[in-house]
Structure formats: structure tokens, C-alpha cells
Amino acid sequence: MLALRKFVQAVVLLFSDEYLRAPIAEDTARLLAIGEQRGFPGMLLSVDCMHWVWKNYPKAWHGAYTDHMCKPSIVLEAVASFDLWIWHAFFGMLGSLNDINILHRSNIFSRLTDGTAPTVSYKVNGNMYDMGYYIGDGIYPEWATIVKPILAPRGNKSVHFYTMQAAVWKDVECAFGVLQSRFAIIREPARVWDQSTVHNIMTACVIMHNMIIEDEKGSTDVEEVYDYMGEKATVHQDLDQAILQYIEVTEAIRNRALHHQLRDDLVEHLWSLHGAQ
């Protein structure tokens, strides 16, 4: 156990900056280009949460950590790309919290609110947008930065969007599955007592997962070119411009009307691409 604690501490200390980094401008451009190729202009990543059962939890915390499956657990919120790279890992929330509660506590949009995220602009169905979005499941709120599925879709367009959105959202689910298959320590219930070690174990596994993803890619010297790259999405980063006010950006992120407009535009865009088929 002492060796395990020291190992995960070292992995987190030495490699967090490189393998848990947020997407820079070049990464964002590549993610946007791939999202556009898949039929979702402006899409960055997919988001979801995973519960890790905690076997040897302090009994006094039973109520706080008991999840919807009546088991004590700790939650990992993550966003992943098509290649299963995990770009954001927010771990340590109580198992009794759901995805919405964790979203309000996480720092997933912190770079957007403080003005340090690369600025994104893209066009869908004739309308311009200035914030990228994540693909989420039905539990997430109706925010401008999250595209949810249409519940009980009616008509060919809505059904087609529902199918395409679910296929893209599976990126993060696949990342969770690969993460657990690679590391048995997080596939089985956690057996350590202290929270710091549990946190370091999960973080170290995410870091090593990204290391493996990078290694399997091979050399990155080859220039990647995608169809329609830059046709609808552009990225630029100007750190000298005035930082947007926190409240204004937060309100823009949580804009329900913009959420519905974006989703409707994506429905029409996807139908224009594949409706004839």
C-alpha cells in the first residue's frame, strides 16, 4: 500500500501538466474539424460521469456517498474526444450527487468564464455561434454549451438527429470502458480508506490512459488534414483582449433559448447531409 501511494503520487506530480492539460488553440481547431466532419460543426467533446464504488469508506459518510444503485461511490466527471483521450477529469464528488449537481461544482467551463479559452466561431444552418459545445445525455441542463438528445423524437429529422447525437456521445462512454478494462484497480471497488489516495489513484489511471492513447497514435509529425477543415469553424486566441465579465459568460453558457436554437439548427444540418440517404 505504501508503494501504491508513492507511485500514484509520483505519476500525478510529474505528468499532470502534460497529460491532463486543457485543449489549446491547436487542439481546439483539430477537435472542431473532426466534429464538423462527423456532422456536428462547433462540437468539441462529449461529457458524462462515472461512479467508482468505494468499498472501505468511512461508515459515518454512508448517506453522503450512497448513489442511485444504493452503493457508496465517488464520481468522475470527464470529457473525451473521438480518440478516447480524456481532456477533463473532475473526480471526488459524493456518489449521492447526480450529473447536474456535479456540473455546477466542476471547473469544466472555467476557462470560458475567465476568458482564457480559445475563441470559437462557426456557422450552422445559416446562424453564427461563438461558443463550442459538448455532447451530453438527457440529464444535463439546457445550456448553450451542451447539446442534449431530443426526448421522444418525432419525425424523420428528429429521429435521425437522435441517432447521430447518441453515436457521438458514446465517445466518453467508450473512454470509460477502456479506462476500466485497462486498470483493474478502478474496475473493482476501491479498497483504500483515505480520500487523497483514492483521488490520486483515479487521476494516475487517467494520466496513464492518455499516455497509452498517445503511444498508440505513433508519430505526430504527419500533418492531419480533414474534409471541410476550417470551412465552418475558425479558432483564434487573443490574450490581449478584455476578459469577458464572469456573469455575462455564465448567462451565455446557460442560455436555454440558444440551446434550443442550436439543436434545431443541428437537426436541419444533419438532415441536409444525410436526409437523401
Side-chain angles (χ1 to χ4, degrees):
M1 290 302 298
L2 179 61
L4 172 66
R5 287 188 173 94
K6 289 185 177 295
F7 174 75
V8 295
Q9 287 174 1
V11 171
V12 173
L13 178 64
L14 295 175
F15 301 107
S16 290
D17 291 342
E18 181 177 358
Y19 290 97
L20 284 181
R21 71 183 188 277
I24 59 176
E26 291 77 8
D27 297 324
T28 304
R30 181 173 61 89
L31 293 172
L32 286 170
I34 294 171
E36 186 176 326
Q37 188 181 41
R38 301 172 76 183
F40 287 86
M43 185 195 78
L44 295 170
L45 305 161
S46 55
V47 58
D48 199 14
C49 292
M50 180 187 82
H51 289 253
W52 185 19
V53 177
W54 193 4
K55 180 180 180 181
N56 293 335
Y57 66 98
K59 300 302 180 183
W61 299 348
H62 176 79
Y65 282 89
T66 300
D67 59 20
H68 61 289
M69 301 296 291
C70 299
K71 295 180 180 179
S73 64
I74 310 177
V75 184
L76 168 67
E77 178 193 69
V79 294
S81 54
F82 71 102
D83 58 359
L84 308 185
W85 184 286
I86 297 176
W87 292 96
H88 162 83
F90 181 68
F91 179 73
M93 289 291 98
L94 310 178
S96 58
L97 300 177
N98 61 20
D99 295 13
I100 301 177
N101 305 135
I102 295 168
L103 180 67
H104 284 289
R105 290 164 171 79
S106 74
N107 59 349
I108 187 171
F109 297 123
S110 61
R111 292 202 310 155
L112 191 59
T113 55
D114 62 23
T116 59
T119 305
V120 176
S121 59
Y122 59 96
K123 189 175 184 180
V124 184
N125 197 35
N127 294 318
M128 291 297 301
Y129 298 91
D130 58 5
M131 289 189 298
Y133 57 86
Y134 295 158
I135 299 293
D137 62 2
I139 192 175
Y140 282 98
E142 296 176 342
W143 289 3
T145 51
I146 297 177
V147 171
K148 300 170 47 175
I150 298 176
L151 301 180
R154 298 180 180 179
N156 292 334
K157 292 183 180 180
S158 297
V159 171
H160 177 65
F161 171 81
Y162 181 90
T163 303
M164 297 294 293
Q165 192 271 353
V168 174
W169 174 70
K170 289 298 182 182
D171 291 347
V172 67
E173 290 291 300
C174 292
F176 286 149
V178 173
L179 184 68
Q180 291 180 319
S181 65
R182 282 176 170 158
F183 303 104
I185 193 170
I186 61 174
R187 186 168 64 247
E188 302 296 331
R191 300 181 180 181
V192 293
W193 288 89
D194 56 300
Q195 290 176 292
S196 60
T197 300
V198 175
H199 182 275
N200 285 336
I201 290 173
M202 178 61 75
T203 306
C205 289
V206 172
I207 290 172
M208 291 186 289
H209 166 83
N210 285 344
M211 286 181 176
I212 296 172
I213 295 296
E214 182 183 62
D215 182 69
E216 290 178 345
K217 285 182 181 178
S219 174
T220 57
D221 296 335
V222 179
E223 183 179 358
E224 295 177 318
V225 179
Y226 301 93
D227 294 339
Y228 314 112
M229 187 169 184
E231 181 177 323
K232 299 188 181 67
T234 58
V235 180
H236 55 89
Q237 191 171 28
D238 185 4
L239 298 181
D240 295 330
Q241 67 180 359
I243 298 178
L244 298 176
Q245 293 296 324
Y246 177 85
I247 295 178
E248 291 182 2
V249 179
T250 301
E251 290 178 350
I253 290 173
R254 303 183 181 188
N255 190 323
R256 294 185 63 186
L258 193 60
H259 165 85
H260 289 286
Q261 177 184 314
L262 173 59
R263 191 169 65 178
D264 293 342
D265 286 339
L266 286 171
V267 170
E268 296 295 333
H269 175 73
L270 288 168
W271 186 252
S272 67
L273 292 177
H274 309 120
Q277 301 174 8

